[in-house]
Structure formats: structure tokens, C-alpha cells
Amino acid sequence: METLHKIGRRKTAVARVYLSEGKGNITVNKKELNNYFPTGTLQYKVNQPLVLTNNEGNFDINVNVYGGGITGQAEAIRLALSRAMCELDEENRGILKPEGLLTRDPRMVERKKFGQKKARKKFQFSKR
């Protein structure tokens, strides 16, 4: 099997995942997964597609991710890995689709409008 390349996005984060046969090493931006994502929740999000399809430890995964925050990056990696699992075996689609792992989350930050404090919040009005 040659290297499989997939892209995942979430908010402004973009993740490029390169999947190849191996022992289960996951490298994110040239760091180990546990060093790049220190919390267990983020590590769980990244590993979720592998655990659901019983593929943890089967592949070496190299990830380049940029943009957004740490949670958006983890969810972008999760989407890219889910897409890669579906490309490897079409049966994985039936496992990942009900969990919502193949859906690109379209929610983005709403822009700040002029004359307002934030996107929706207004400046306080006083009657003086």
C-alpha cells in the first residue's frame, strides 16, 4: 500500500493526513500526538475513527495541520482520518457515518460588525 492522502477542515483549521502501513505512530507537525495534543479529550477525538474501525496500531499517520485553535485542529484531523478509513474499506462508511464523523462541520465564527461591540452584542445605550 502506498501513502494515502486526505484533507479535513474545521473552522479555519486545515489538516493534511498521510496514511501508510506501520505500527501505529501518529505524528502531528513533526511532534508525537501526546505532545501536540496534551489533553485526553483531544487525543480521543483524533483516535476516534481508528478505534471505531478497529485500525489502531495498523497505520503510521503523518499529519500537517495549520490554522484555527487546538480543538478545531483535532476535529479537522478526525475528519481527514475518517475520510481515509472510508477510502481503505467502503464498509467503514457504515460505521463512521452514523457517528457523524464524515460530516464537515460548517460553523464558522461570525464577523464583527462596525458600530457594534462584537458580532451580535451592541454597545450599551444610556439615557443621560
Side-chain angles (χ1 to χ4, degrees):
M1 172 192 148
E2 71 281 353
T3 304
L4 186 66
H5 173 244
K6 286 292 170 190
I7 294 177
R9 293 184 180 91
R10 171 73 170 98
K11 291 188 177 178
T12 56
V14 179
R16 290 190 174 89
V17 170
Y18 300 91
L19 206 75
S20 56
E21 291 287 340
K23 299 185 178 104
N25 299 327
I26 301 177
T27 310
V28 182
N29 289 351
K30 299 180 182 172
K31 294 182 183 176
E32 283 188 33
L33 177 71
N34 299 340
N35 294 337
Y36 195 84
F37 295 118
T39 63
T41 308
L42 296 173
Q43 292 170 18
Y44 170 78
K45 281 184 181 182
V46 171
N47 285 319
Q48 202 173 0
L50 300 171
V51 172
L52 289 173
T53 58
N54 297 321
N55 280 322
E56 63 265 77
N58 293 350
F59 301 103
D60 282 344
I61 301 166
N62 189 11
V63 181
N64 294 334
V65 64
Y66 63 90
I70 197 162
T71 303
Q73 288 186 351
E75 292 179 9
I77 294 170
R78 179 173 69 178
L79 177 62
L81 279 175
S82 299
R83 288 175 172 170
M85 292 297 117
C86 286
E87 181 135 332
L88 285 172
D89 187 6
E90 200 57 42
E91 291 177 7
N92 289 337
R93 187 172 184 80
I95 300 166
L96 297 171
K97 184 79 171 158
E99 298 291 325
L101 298 183
L102 293 174
T103 306
R104 157 63 160 107
D105 194 341
R107 294 177 295 173
M108 300 289 277
V109 176
E110 190 174 338
R111 78 174 196 86
K112 182 197 173 298
K113 279 73 167 191
F114 64 91
Q116 295 182 11
K117 197 173 183 81
K118 291 167 38 179
R120 305 237 173 146
K121 188 174 183 178
K122 314 283 192 282
F123 286 113
Q124 187 169 345
F125 178 76
S126 64
K127 273 190 160 182
R128 288 187 185 210

